[in-house]
Amino acid sequence: MGTPAVLVASVLIAQYLAARAVAAPPDLLQARRQLIGSLGPGRAFLMLYGAGIFITTAVGLILGEVLQRFEHPVDWAVFHWVEDASGQGWLHAMTALGRMGDPWPTRYTAIVAIVILTGVAIARRERFWVPAGFIGGSVVVEKFDQTALAKIVDRGHPPTGLGTFPSGGCVRILVIYGAIMLVVLAYLRAGRVVRSFGWSLIATMAFAEGYTRIYVGKHWATDVLGGWVLGGLMLAVTVFAGRALLARERPPLPAGRDGAAERNPPSAAAAADVS
């Protein structure tokens, strides 16, 4: 019941935000445009992405230290409740569903997506290296960032599983599948409705992944919560920085005109960052 509810709620929220052109703060949008103009798309992306991942990692460390203090009042209570309420009938289904966030399934999906989207980029005369660099980079960054947080926080795991903070499956769903979704939507030049459903699908997959991790006892409930928060923050950074790579090149404007204002008027910039 929770999965369709999350899907419907995500679609409604995405439609609401898109209709009101909710975007990143204007100062951040202006800073990104200036970086693209001075450094070029590739270097601007690296600078924005690196700074954003640094901040999200710091937030993840703080969050991990805070959440592990709720192990006895929250995690054990949820663990025992799930153990008592769940039956064996759904165990195999939940185990199979939860594999969508495992390391190798997500990596195989990323490889297939890179091959297909690279072909699309070549056909559209876009930067052919963007899918491999962007999606592949997301895979690498997610792996090492999540592994580092798990080692540093080192909070232990439930007695029935080996998962620790944060839930890697939830982070991978949001970051890797989210990176793929961003490139797909950019190449499709998707409208508001398609974007809303696309991002709602990612949110629903992350919810389902977290639910299965708790159901089969592989993660504490707060590990899953941490995975949702950290993955959501990393996805926001990925989308914001990724738009520097995915912005279509425009011809230079005539001399004497405000290039930044003409290329990205406030309404257009806001609409472009709704996702």
Side-chain angles (χ1 to χ4, degrees), residues 45-90:
F45 165 76
L46 290 176
M47 180 171 289
L48 292 169
Y49 193 61
I53 293 299
F54 177 82
I55 295 172
T56 58
T57 303
V59 172
L61 289 172
I62 296 172
L63 185 64
E65 294 299 327
V66 171
L67 289 179
Q68 68 177 329
R69 301 180 187 276
F70 292 89
E71 179 176 327
H72 290 288
V74 175
D75 289 324
W76 277 104
V78 173
F79 177 81
H80 289 307
W81 177 77
V82 171
E83 196 174 40
D84 293 338
S86 62
Q88 292 296 316
W90 286 94

Side-chain angles (χ1 to χ4, degrees), residues 19-230:
R20 283 154 183 78
V22 176
D27 290 344
L28 285 178
L29 297 177
Q30 179 63 22
R32 185 178 63 188
R33 289 194 292 269
Q34 291 175 346
L35 283 174
I36 294 172
S38 59
L39 300 178
R43 293 178 182 177
F45 165 76
L46 290 176
M47 180 171 289
L48 292 169
Y49 193 61
I53 293 299
F54 177 82
I55 295 172
T56 58
T57 303
V59 172
L61 289 172
I62 296 172
L63 185 64
E65 294 299 327
V66 171
L67 289 179
Q68 68 177 329
R69 301 180 187 276
F70 292 89
E71 179 176 327
H72 290 288
V74 175
D75 289 324
W76 277 104
V78 173
F79 177 81
H80 289 307
W81 177 77
V82 171
E83 196 174 40
D84 293 338
S86 62
Q88 292 296 316
W90 286 94
L91 184 61
H92 294 297
M94 290 294 178
T95 301
L97 179 62
R99 291 195 182 105
M100 66 179 174
D102 286 353
W104 283 109
T106 55
R107 292 168 190 169
Y108 290 141
T109 303
I111 292 171
V112 172
I114 287 171
V115 172
I116 295 174
L117 292 172
T118 298
V120 173
I122 293 173
R124 289 167 52 88
R125 297 184 180 180
E126 304 277 359
R127 304 179 185 96
F128 72 90
W129 49 268
V130 167
F134 183 61
I135 299 172
S138 298
V139 173
V140 173
V141 169
E142 184 283 326
K143 171 179 169 54
F144 286 101
D145 195 72
Q146 186 259 330
T147 301
L149 285 173
K151 293 288 186 182
I152 296 172
V153 175
D154 192 24
R155 67 160 300 179
H157 52 77
T160 52
L162 297 175
T164 186
F165 176 90
S167 169
C170 294
V171 179
R172 282 187 289 270
I173 291 287
L174 289 166
V175 175
I176 299 174
Y177 290 172
I180 295 170
M181 181 64 70
L182 178 65
V183 179
V184 169
L185 294 176
Y187 285 173
L188 287 177
R189 300 184 190 177
R192 186 178 71 186
V193 174
V194 176
R195 292 200 309 271
S196 298
F197 275 96
W199 291 119
S200 298
L201 176 62
I202 298 297
T204 305
M205 291 171 63
F207 169 80
E209 175 69 18
Y211 185 90
T212 62
R213 299 300 85 186
I214 297 173
Y215 190 96
V216 301
K218 288 192 174 182
H219 274 288
W220 295 121
T222 53
D223 292 340
V224 170
L225 177 60
W228 285 339
V229 173
L230 181 65

